[in-house]
Amino acid sequence: MKLLLKGGRVVDPAAGRDGEFDVLIDGDRVAAVGKGLPADGADVFEMTRGWIVAPGLIDIHVHLREPGQEHKETIATGTASAVAGGFTAVACMPNTDPVNDHPGITELILNRAAAAGLARVYPIGAVSIGSKGEQMSELAAQKAAGCVAFTDDGRPVASALLMRRALEYAGMLGVPIVDHCEDPSLKGDGVAHEGLVASRLGLRGIPGAAESIMVERDIALAEMTGAAYHVCHMSARQSLRAVRAAKARGMTNVTCEVAPHHFVLTDESLEQPIRYDTNVKMNPPLRESADRDAMLEGIADGTVDVIATDHAPHHADEKLVEFDRAPFGIVGLETCVPLVFDRLVHAGRIGVRRAVELLSTNPARVFRLAGGTLAEGAPADVTVLAPDAPVTIRAAALRSKSKNTPFDGWQLRGGVAATIVGGRIVYRSDR
Ligand SMILES: [Zn+2]
């Protein structure tokens, strides 16, 4: 089966391509990219003027919740949400129930993902058994089963010794260690960013240093071991400074990601428009404007490698409690592209090429995944973007099983026109 994408603006930083080209897909591979390619029996998909044809977007930080918390999300609903958001692949976090610390769970996830037949799913294994931070999981067996990285996300790897061993071992296997950076003693039982807003609202604070202290520790261990190390959902300006310094002294093995809510929102959202809205309770917390601005700078100057959503579905009943008791996190797969275009591209902070780098090229590079390019022979994973489409976020209309988003009702410019995985159109916007 052949498919010809006719007449879009192909933006493929990995292949050094940006211009009007046709893309011919044969089966599950990109067969040719060029001008005026003949249809030659292929189904023709005409691109509307202004549309961007990008290598499939990859979200390397997603909580699919299955197995064990299917009332929040399943692999089927999570991957439906992914493709509606323009993501052809997601990497899923191991903090399921049970924790993914075993090849049997990795296999279960891969089987359910294949049955759903939407986005590709790359499992991330737990660094430690049960993510308890004590005994290392069988990383080699997990890699053989299909894990592409390791993390105890939801929690930090609190022991420096365990982190060192994990980096050494994962380094030999050629896969990155991803850390949710948070010093447990400094975080304490905090629920919001430590600052003026938390003080006014009487909420226990989490200082930025709770994150950056562990980023600094991890960078020291990455320097010592030479292994690939990736900072999850960075939120504090001190963390960005640490990563920037590491990169400046030539550490190419250190990478980092930022989630859209950390470059769009600040802790002011705890007061406005709704006080104590549990849909703005996340971990790491929304920080003050100096931190948000630092994330924007890092995105523009290249310090930030990846935008990842930290898609964290929770059932409405779980969020419908007082702020202190609510779980951390928001859904993010279907709001990411509109936020990136509206707040970064149209705001003049970055160009389209950089947006594609952050959402496709670099996630593929950091996790060493196939994809991230539309070069001939690459997997036929394509995201067609409509950068000028008006989008109104409607929580109730999200494909995700959970609707916990602070962006309900937001009007943004930039959306997804179609998502193609392995040569199959798995999502088309009806806009
Ligand atoms: Zn986390």
Side-chain angles (χ1 to χ4, degrees), residues 69-212:
Q69 297 180 308
E70 289 85 352
H71 64 291
K72 296 175 193 264
E73 194 80 285
T74 65
I75 290 165
T77 60
T79 52
S81 177
V83 298
F87 291 99
T88 57
V90 297
C92 61
M93 289 294 167
N95 62 338
T96 45
D97 185 12
V99 166
N100 182 12
D101 57 10
H102 188 275
I105 299 166
T106 298
E107 281 158 24
L108 176 137
I109 292 167
L110 289 172
N111 288 338
R112 299 261 160 99
L118 294 167
R120 297 180 198 272
V121 173
Y122 296 108
I124 303 176
V127 167
S128 63
I129 303 286
S131 281
K132 290 194 176 116
E134 291 158 10
Q135 194 189 340
M136 207 181 346
S137 324
E138 300 256 6
L139 304 192
Q142 278 282 63
K143 190 203 171 191
C147 286
V148 298
F150 296 100
T151 187
D152 277 346
D153 184 48
R155 299 176 186 176
V157 177
S159 152
L161 179 63
L162 178 63
M163 189 60 175
R164 176 195 180 171
R165 296 284 178 244
L167 282 165
E168 285 170 343
Y169 201 23
M172 286 191 289
L173 297 171
V175 294
I177 295 286
V178 178
D179 204 9
H180 163 121
C181 291
E182 165 186 289
D183 181 275
S185 62
L186 260 188
K187 189 222 172 195
D189 55 2
V191 294
H193 172 63
E194 183 176 302
L196 286 175
V197 175
S199 305
R200 274 203 295 271
L201 294 174
L203 297 172
R204 290 182 306 280
I206 307 170
E211 177 181 282
S212 63

